[in-house]
Amino acid sequence: MSSKLIPATLAFRDDGTPFSPAYDDVYHSAAGAFAQARHVFLGGNGLPERWRARRAFAIVETGFGLGGNFLATWAAWRADARRCERLSYVSIEKHPFGADDLRTLHARMVDDATVSPLAEQLRDAWPLLTNGLHRLEFEGGRVTLTLAFGDALELLPKLRLRADAFYLDGFSPAKNPDLWSPPVFKALARLADEGATLATYSCAGHVRRALDEAGFHSTKAQGFAGKREMLVGRFAPRWRVRRHEPPRPYDASERHAVVIGAGLAGCAMANRLASRGWRVTIVERHRAPGCEASGNPAGVFHPLLSRDDSVASKVTRTGFLYALSRWQALERAGHAFGRTSQGLLQIADDDEQAQALTDAIAAHGYPSELVVAASAAQARALAGVPVARAGWWYPQGGSLDPSALCGALCADAADAIAWRTGVEARHIAREGNAWSVTAGTGDIIARAPVVVFANARDAARLSGSRYAPTRIVRGQLTRLAPGAAPGLRLPLVGDGYAIPLIDGLVTGATYDVDDAGEEVRVESHAENLGRLARLIPGFTGSDTAASLDPATLTGRVAFRCVTSDRLPMIGPLADEAECERRAAALRGAWPLDLPRAPGLYGAFAFGSRGLVWALLGAELVASQLEGEPWPLEADLAEALDPSRYLLRALRQGLASLP
């Protein structure tokens, strides 16, 4: 995928119709965007009738443009008393408009009292213009809009969903032939449910022939306004060509899940499942949520930059932006968790890194709302204290109280959660169509068709996985009294971190691999003070620093759980015994080929990025369980798949029965 997203240019024809100079074409008919949407796309796909009496309905659109089709569809859904429970809308846009331009465009095109408030909600939720998938939620999560910013030829094969209807609404085939090409239609066919429908204003012969070759039977219908004809169609392939079927919901006997662990991962999982009507039983060995790593007094959140925009960078950026949207929703609902608003400053490790990543910011075209390169002088002005060197300012980064966030996520889920605290899950067993989770005494703690392991370092043991090579990393933080770094205005990260709090400052943390020591150590405090001095050079010469004795300081020890590739474990667990039995046949397998353990999922090994990965991971698992469009591209989700180490062992011929 091209790393630089090029926004659309705001322009109008003489008659006021929005126009694209890049494609020399209009965004909608001069007769009106919403009238066109209702006739061509809703009417052409038999909506709203086809979504009635359905739990879920998914629409895929090529060409989001101004959002007119989405707004018309959303308005029709709201007006339909027999609407589906959940509406998923996925739209690809290579050149999206910015929020301000959308406001200008909507002011000209929206004069319907039923659509105007929806357009305002869309603009308020509009994401930063960065490549990849952006999940927006409306109507309490019952309407989701997944925007895929980038080239359709590259993005469509990476979507995982089952589509019920297609809106083909790119610029005309003569102006934008790539969007009407056989590879695009074949990619759509891989997403289509049985009997999925399509509609488009285009009647070009080569479009109809390419659709037919991809398995869509199309016919001509009455066109809109001055256009005589349009195409409507249905997915009706003459033969099967798909290696893997699009995802369906997990066949659970009841919508009830046991989530093991009540840290950020577990609380986020409970929240996302509850938003879909699931009952959740949380099993936690402590007496309250957020007691281990999530119990630290503060944690930082920010994107991850890399020169090549690595998998970790893409996943972290998607997770960061999704977390921001969910946190804002929690805050609007009255929940508070100490989220700061001054941004976060990352200090480069050395001058070479400072220059390389500053160049990367420009090369990737990241918007200034995401990250801004800061010279040493600019970084000092932002921080309010001397800093080591240049770096990057993340305007929407910052710090928050992880334990309070756990509480907010669970409070938002309300009565959907049943708690089993103060008891440790020691075993799981499959009995009929459900799993029993038992304590060391053998007593059943909870029973449900689905179990999600969100218990960090204990997840591999409890799930019985032999191919989840996680390690623990001891992290000790240090608490300093007020005045330790006077004038520090915002969180700093680099070689360690410094987070100003109302009652002082938190700094750290150590990174002690395979160290299970729970005691607070003097030498770890000294190490943290050294890190702070490297972040804030003037700190060592201050009266406060001179008076500090590591032996008198307080702190806290928590444990990170990490994998060798430093990516989390998120998704369905493999049936490892079955994979080992079929090792020879699965040697050339891909993730979708692997047998899965029925109803077992993981969300663990978040390392030090739980704040930005937890909600995205929970949304991914919830989408997989519900058969909804995934909030992450398939290749990125596969990089997080808990079976990835098993897959490598199978390919190398190393997976065999013990």
Side-chain angles (χ1 to χ4, degrees):
M1 181 187 297
S2 172
S3 61
K4 194 165 186 175
L5 189 69
I6 300 174
T9 300
L10 183 64
F12 300 92
R13 284 260 172 91
D14 292 342
D15 62 1
T17 305
F19 168 76
S20 170
Y23 291 95
D24 189 28
D25 202 359
V26 295
Y27 279 94
H28 61 75
S29 166
F34 298 111
Q36 176 177 296
R38 294 180 188 112
H39 179 90
V40 176
F41 299 107
L42 283 142
N45 279 285
L47 302 175
E49 292 81 9
R50 287 187 57 239
W51 66 39
R52 289 173 178 165
R54 297 277 299 273
R55 168 163 172 76
F57 195 88
I59 297 170
V60 174
E61 176 183 50
T62 55
F64 187 79
L66 319 182
N69 295 336
F70 169 67
L71 292 170
T73 303
W74 182 8
W77 180 88
R78 283 172 59 98
D80 187 2
R82 298 165 57 197
R83 59 183 175 251
C84 53
E85 291 182 40
R86 296 181 64 83
L87 176 66
S88 299
Y89 195 105
V90 180
S91 186
I92 295 180
E93 179 54 62
K94 187 175 183 179
H95 301 296
F97 282 103
D100 289 340
D101 286 345
L102 273 185
R103 182 168 284 103
T104 299
L105 290 158
H106 289 169
R108 287 171 169 253
M109 64 186 272
V110 179
D111 57 3
D112 186 330
T114 63
V115 175
S116 181
L118 307 186
E120 184 176 358
Q121 289 184 57
L122 174 61
R123 294 192 302 271
D124 288 345
W126 195 247
L128 298 185
L129 301 190
T130 60
N131 272 309
L133 270 56
H134 302 263
R135 173 67 57 87
L136 312 183
E137 299 180 14
F138 307 98
E139 306 288 348
R142 290 179 297 159
V143 174
T144 62
L145 169 61
T146 304
L147 291 164
F149 288 162
D151 193 321
L153 286 168
E154 298 178 0
L155 277 173
L156 275 172
K158 297 180 179 181
L159 298 181
R160 285 290 290 155
L161 58 90
R162 179 177 290 268
D164 299 293
F166 296 97
Y167 294 178
L168 308 186
D169 193 27
F171 293 115
S172 72
K175 306 288 187 178
N176 187 16
D178 286 348
L179 202 55
W180 303 87
S181 61
V184 165
F185 297 149
K186 289 177 181 177
L188 295 179
R190 286 192 288 270
L191 304 176
D193 196 2
E194 300 297 331
T197 60
L198 68 84
T200 177
Y201 60 82
S202 175
C203 278
H206 71 280
V207 169
R208 190 173 179 183
R209 288 189 293 273
L211 284 170
D212 182 71
E213 290 173 3
F216 293 95
H217 175 69
S218 60
T219 59
K220 293 181 180 180
Q222 178 64 45
F224 173 71
K227 190 169 178 57
R228 187 177 65 182
E229 295 174 323
M230 56 180 263
L231 283 184
V232 296
R234 182 174 296 274
F235 184 61
R238 292 184 292 274
W239 55 81
R240 285 286 183 188
V241 295
R242 299 193 292 206
R243 177 174 178 177
H244 301 290
E245 289 297 305
R248 289 194 181 278
Y250 176 68
D251 186 17
S253 57
E254 59 174 326
R255 303 176 75 242
H256 176 207
V258 175
V259 174
I260 301 176
L264 282 168
C267 294
M269 186 64 62
N271 181 276
R272 295 291 76 210
L273 289 174
S275 73
R276 291 162 167 84
W278 282 65
R279 291 189 301 113
V280 180
T281 300
I282 296 183
V283 178
E284 169 56 52
R285 67 189 184 96
H286 295 287
R287 293 289 180 184
C291 287
E292 296 201 12
S294 301
N296 286 344
V300 295
F301 55 90
H302 58 89
L304 174 66
L305 294 187
S306 61
R307 305 177 197 193
D308 60 349
D309 199 25
S310 65
V311 167
S313 293
K314 292 173 182 174
V315 171
T316 302
R317 181 170 62 246
T318 302
F320 171 75
L321 295 174
Y322 181 67
L324 287 179
S325 69
R326 299 311 312 147
W327 294 343
Q328 290 162 3
L330 289 171
E331 289 163 342
R332 288 193 297 269
H335 301 287
F337 35 89
R339 185 162 68 103
T340 61
S341 58
Q342 295 79 30
L344 176 143
L345 185 63
Q346 181 176 2
I347 304 302
D349 293 339
D350 51 47
D351 292 338
E352 181 182 355
Q353 185 195 36
Q355 186 59 53
L357 292 188
T358 296
D359 292 343
I361 291 171
H364 295 309
Y366 295 134
S368 59
E369 298 91 341
L370 182 73
V371 60
V372 177
S375 66
Q378 291 168 330
R380 175 173 182 166
L382 285 165
V385 297
V387 294
R389 59 185 62 83
W392 315 275
W393 179 50
Y394 302 102
Q396 298 188 62
S399 66
L400 57 76
D401 180 342
S403 182
L405 176 58
C406 287
L409 289 165
C410 292
D412 185 62
D415 296 339
I417 297 178
W419 290 91
R420 301 290 185 269
T421 59
V423 59
E424 185 173 5
R426 297 298 301 170
H427 306 283
I428 62 166
R430 182 78 173 173
E431 299 176 2
N433 57 5
W435 292 92
S436 292
V437 180
T438 58
T441 60
D443 295 332
I444 294 178
I445 305 170
R447 178 176 165 81
V450 171
V451 174
V452 183
F453 300 97
N455 51 332
R457 53 178 168 162
D458 199 38
R461 179 202 64 78
L462 186 58
S463 67
S465 175
R466 298 174 56 230
Y467 299 93
T470 58
R471 305 175 74 178
I472 63 166
V473 178
R474 177 183 178 275
Q476 179 176 317
L477 58 82
T478 300
R479 294 290 301 258
L480 299 178
L488 181 60
R489 297 173 183 153
L490 78 182
L492 295 180
V493 299
D495 179 18
Y497 59 77
I499 307 174
L501 302 176
I502 294 175
D503 60 348
L505 182 141
V506 173
T507 189
T510 61
Y511 198 88
D512 309 317
V513 180
D514 296 332
D515 186 337
E518 298 182 357
E519 75 283 1
V520 175
R521 301 170 185 167
V522 173
E523 58 268 29
S524 294
H525 282 321
E527 183 180 335
N528 287 338
L529 292 179
R531 285 195 176 88
L532 182 60
R534 289 191 290 275
L535 276 176
I536 307 175
F539 173 75
T540 52
S542 68
D543 293 338
T544 301
S547 65
L548 288 176
D549 178 358
T552 66
L553 298 177
T554 61
R556 188 175 191 274
V557 173
F559 297 92
R560 311 171 183 94
C561 173
V562 301
T563 59
S564 59
D565 59 14
R566 296 301 187 267
L567 292 173
M569 298 284 210
I570 301 172
L573 303 189
D575 183 337
E576 294 184 358
E578 181 64 18
C579 288
E580 289 174 333
R581 281 192 290 270
R582 296 169 51 191
L586 292 172
R587 188 159 187 174
W590 292 93
L592 291 177
D593 297 321
L594 296 184
R596 300 289 173 163
L600 295 186
Y601 292 77
F604 58 95
F606 287 177
S608 57
R609 299 193 181 276
L611 284 174
V612 293
W613 284 347
L615 275 160
L616 177 65
E619 181 69 8
L620 176 58
V621 170
S623 298
Q624 290 169 336
L625 277 167
E626 289 284 289
E628 295 176 354
W630 293 7
L632 201 61
E633 295 94 319
D635 59 326
L636 300 183
E638 288 174 358
L640 313 182
D641 193 321
S643 71
R644 62 187 184 271
Y645 291 96
L646 169 61
L647 198 65
R648 293 171 198 172
L650 288 166
R651 290 173 177 171
Q652 295 166 8
L654 301 177
S656 59
L657 289 170

